[in-house]
Amino acid sequence: MVPTLYLFDRFDARLGILPAVGAVTHTEELGGEDTVEFDCALAPEKGERLLWRDPTDGVWREHVVVRTDEPLGAPAHVYAESSLCELLGDFVEEIQLVSKTAAQALASVLGVTRWSAGEVGVGDAARGCLLYHVNALAALRRVEEVWGGEAEAVISVENRRVGSRTVRLPARRGTWRGARFSYGKTLAACTRTVLEDEVFTALYGYGKGLPIYDETGAPTGGFTRRLTFGSVNGGANWVGDEAARLVWGRPDGAGGKAHRFGHVVFPDCEDATELKALTEAALAAACEPRVSYEVDVAAVDGGAGVRLGDDVAVIDSSRSPEWHLRARCVRRVRELGEGAPSVRLTLGTVERTTWAASADVAARMTAVEETAAAASDTVASYEDLGEREF
C-alpha cells in the first residue's frame, strides 16, 4: 500500500498530507543512502519534512525534501533523504575523545545537535579519536569507524508530530530470520557480482603507532613503529588460512602454493591480543571472493520478512563445489504502491559506500572526508560475511 505522507515545514509545523501520484520508492543501504522518491501534483518546498509510517514494519520514518524536478504540465518528482542529513548543518569545532566508551562518544557528537543518543550495543571498550572541524554527520560516521556499530535513526511520534529524534548504535543491524536463497545457472531475475576486491590467504595486522617520550616523560612528537601481534602469535606478525592457500595461493616457484599476503591496519588498537583477533576476523572475509546477489524478494524463501542488515543463507550451486555462505541484506529497494510492495534485495558483502556514491547528500561531505583521508592512514575495509556453513 502507498504510505500516507504527512508534510511539515522546516520548523516542524504541520502543513497537511502530501498525496503521491503512483508508488513511493524507498531505498535504504547499510552505511549509505536512506531515501524516498515519488511523483506528486504539487511540489513541496526544499527543506520541508515528510513523516510516514512504514506499512511493512510499522515504524515511523522521517525524510527531508532535498530536490524536486518540476516539468511544466506534468507531476513533480520529489527526492527526499533521511532526516539524519540535517546533521550536515551542525558543526563540530573540536571534540577530543580520550578513553571514552561508544555511549560517551555518541553523546558528545550528538550534543551539538537536537538529536538524542539512544541504545548503544557495541560494548564498553574505551577508545579515542579527535573530531576537528567536521559536520556532525561526518563525526557520527567516525564514531562508527572507531567504536564499531551501525547507526540507525529512530523517530517517535506524539500528538501527530515528531516527538523525538534518536540515534541508536547497535553492534549490527538486522538479525537471522530464516530466509534462504538458492542461486543456480537457470535462475532468472537475479544478478551475481563477483567484486573486484583482492583475495588474500594471509594478512599482516598492524595497530596504533605509539608516541615516543623523552627521559623526562614528555612526548617528543615522534611515534614508534605500529603495534604488531607477534608476541602472542609465536613470533609471526601475520595469520593465514591453509585451506584458502590451497585454493587461492600463488605459485611458489617449487611446484607448490604460497600465501597471497595482504595487510590491514587498525589505527586505534593498542592491545596485541585484540589486534590478532581483529586481523583473524578480517582474514575470514578476505580469503574468498566477495560476492553480491541482486534478487527479487519473491526468489528468496522467507524473503518477505527480510529487513536491512538481516542474514540470508545462500546456496550458490553454479560453483563446484557449491558455495554455502550466510550473506547480509545490504540494500533494499521497495516500490510501495497499491497491493503488495515490489521489493529488490542486494545480498552479500557490506560495502562501506561513501555518501557521494549513494546519495546527493554525499557531495556536501566530500571535502571534509577527503581532507580527513589525506591526514590519516588508508585502511582496507573488510566486513565479515558470517559463518560459511549454516
Side-chain angles (χ1 to χ4, degrees):
M1 62 178 291
V2 180
T4 301
L5 302 174
Y6 300 98
L7 183 65
F8 294 79
D9 68 13
R10 292 184 294 110
F11 303 98
D12 291 339
R14 183 164 175 166
L15 301 177
I17 294 176
L18 184 64
V21 177
V24 173
T25 300
H26 180 221
T27 301
E28 53 185 344
E29 182 177 25
L30 286 179
E33 65 181 310
D34 180 353
T35 64
V36 292
E37 294 185 68
F38 58 92
D39 292 334
C40 61
L42 183 62
E45 295 293 328
K46 181 179 178 65
E48 291 183 340
R49 294 172 176 272
L50 303 170
L51 180 66
W52 57 286
R53 191 163 193 168
D54 196 312
T56 301
D57 52 25
V59 303
W60 286 98
R61 301 180 185 271
E62 184 187 33
H63 287 75
V64 178
V65 176
V66 297
R67 188 179 74 240
T68 58
D69 299 324
E70 305 173 37
L72 287 174
H77 185 77
V78 178
Y79 176 89
E81 295 169 349
S82 165
S83 56
L84 269 179
C85 72
E86 76 173 51
L87 271 62
L88 288 163
D90 294 307
F91 195 73
V92 175
E93 288 191 68
E94 181 176 349
I95 298 178
Q96 296 184 26
L97 300 172
V98 180
S99 296
K100 301 295 185 182
T101 65
Q104 292 170 326
L106 182 62
S108 295
V109 167
L110 296 180
V112 302
T113 77
R114 64 171 175 170
W115 289 67
S116 302
E119 174 190 356
V120 175
V122 297
D124 297 324
R127 295 190 172 91
C129 69
L130 172 64
L131 302 174
Y132 183 71
H133 291 185
V134 295
N135 62 63
L137 184 54
L140 175 61
R141 298 306 181 198
R142 180 60 177 153
V143 170
E144 287 181 290
E145 292 174 1
V146 175
W147 281 269
E150 296 171 346
E152 179 181 17
V154 179
I155 305 297
S156 70
V157 173
E158 299 173 6
N159 299 321
R160 302 196 306 169
R161 65 182 63 246
V162 174
S164 66
R165 297 174 176 88
T166 304
V167 177
R168 61 187 294 263
L169 188 66
R172 186 179 187 274
R173 294 180 63 177
T175 187
W176 166 247
R177 304 181 196 274
R180 286 174 164 79
F181 168 65
S182 297
Y183 179 89
K185 297 179 180 178
T186 61
L187 184 67
C190 176
T191 300
R192 181 181 64 190
T193 301
V194 180
L195 302 175
E196 62 269 23
D197 304 59
E198 286 285 346
V199 176
F200 297 112
T201 66
L203 286 179
Y204 283 88
Y206 299 103
K208 186 174 184 177
L210 302 179
I212 298 175
Y213 298 92
D214 63 20
E215 61 275 5
T216 67
T220 65
F223 289 83
T224 65
R225 293 183 177 181
R226 288 192 175 276
L227 174 71
T228 58
F229 55 79
S231 60
V232 296
N233 192 47
N237 293 322
W238 57 273
V239 291
D241 186 311
E242 286 301 304
R245 179 183 64 80
L246 295 177
V247 177
W248 298 102
R250 55 187 174 79
D252 63 2
K257 295 181 178 180
H259 276 300
R260 293 176 58 87
F261 282 94
H263 78 282
V264 61
V265 179
F266 300 97
D268 300 299
C269 183
E270 301 180 44
D271 179 78
T273 301
E274 179 187 9
L275 177 60
K276 179 184 176 183
L278 290 171
T279 306
E280 288 173 338
L283 178 63
C287 67
E288 61 185 16
R290 301 177 69 181
V291 185
S292 68
Y293 303 84
E294 187 176 342
V295 58
D296 288 332
V297 73
V300 180
D301 183 17
V306 172
R307 301 178 187 177
L308 190 68
D310 282 356
D311 289 317
V312 177
V314 175
I315 302 174
D316 190 336
S317 59
S318 68
R319 299 293 185 176
S320 181
E322 65 183 16
W323 288 351
H324 289 240
L325 55 92
R326 185 172 292 185
R328 293 183 73 189
C329 175
V330 299
R331 192 169 192 265
R332 183 173 68 159
V333 180
R334 294 179 294 161
E335 296 282 345
L336 303 173
E338 297 298 331
S342 171
V343 185
R344 189 80 173 170
L345 304 176
T346 300
L347 311 174
T349 55
V350 180
E351 293 305 301
R352 290 288 186 181
T353 56
T354 64
W355 283 64
S358 60
D360 286 351
V361 68
R364 306 194 292 277
M365 288 178 64
T366 300
V368 171
E369 300 216 347
E370 286 182 349
T371 300
S376 62
D377 296 298
T378 300
V379 181
S381 176
Y382 298 101
E383 299 289 345
D384 192 353
L385 281 179
E387 295 179 2
R388 189 174 170 80
E389 299 294 337
F390 59 87

